[in-house]
Amino acid sequence: MTLDNPLANKFSCAASQYKQHDVLQRLSAHQLLQHANLYGTLLDVGAGPGTDFGSFNAVNQVVAVDIAQGMLTELTQQFTDYLPLCTDAQALGLQTASVDSIYSNLALQWCPKLPQAFCEFQRVLRPNGECHVSIVADGSLAELKTLGFHVNQFHSVSALKQAFMSSQFQGDTWESIDIKLESIQVYFDDLRSLLYSIKGVGASFAQHQHNSNRPLLKKQQWQQRVELANTLRTEKGIPLTYQIAFIRAKRG
């Protein structure tokens, strides 16, 4: 199934180049996987071009969900045994109590109705199933604001916890919800590569360029921002700081 969705279409078009700009995604995935308890039938929500779960011996099946068919096409070329499913986190289309664990790395900040997505997580998880999620949180991308760019609003930790607590399927509750906020800093050679990198995490520079109230930057304006970005440069490059919420929730 292909979702007729502007966001899905954007990600599909960018699928083949995605790995050139997924610096943050790789860093957060490494951290998330280090502490995740993944087993049985694993659901990867917002799978993108795919994650290698080969080190998790207890995982016997991976169901890879993404809204973009192009991402799933990339994924199936490398992970031939994964089951791809083009659908939305808010309406997974899976049977109730059909998966044992859920993994989602930097995908759910796109989701307009988080409680609905978390309710779906609870619905499809079997009793005692766990979900392990990383999500971009409030306070991210301070450098972008310094450079005069628009930054999308992200959820606070308290809002994320509330979204979990309010998500109940048939009256069930989460046995435990643990949220840790961690800062991750990434570095770039130039402003253009920095702006490309943020497109995949819901803070897209391109989003507001197409807004009639926010005209395209003129050459002189762009050059001014390039010069301003270079004043932030360190030995590692131009920094960009994210606040990432790492969430572990267990179903009762």
Side-chain angles (χ1 to χ4, degrees), residues 5 33 42 46 56 88 109 147 156 162 166 181 185 188 205:
N5 176 311
L33 290 167
L42 169 63
F56 292 88
D88 191 296
Q109 62 272 0
L147 295 174
S156 65
Q162 183 57 38
S166 64
L181 188 67
Q185 200 160 47
F188 300 91
F205 170 58

Side-chain angles (χ1 to χ4, degrees), residues 156-183:
S156 65
V157 168
S158 59
L160 289 171
K161 187 158 190 176
Q162 183 57 38
F164 257 102
M165 293 176 67
S166 64
S167 64
Q168 296 185 7
F169 175 68
Q170 295 182 348
D172 289 341
T173 58
W174 294 95
E175 182 179 304
S176 60
I177 305 166
D178 181 43
I179 303 180
K180 292 180 180 175
L181 188 67
E182 302 202 17
S183 180

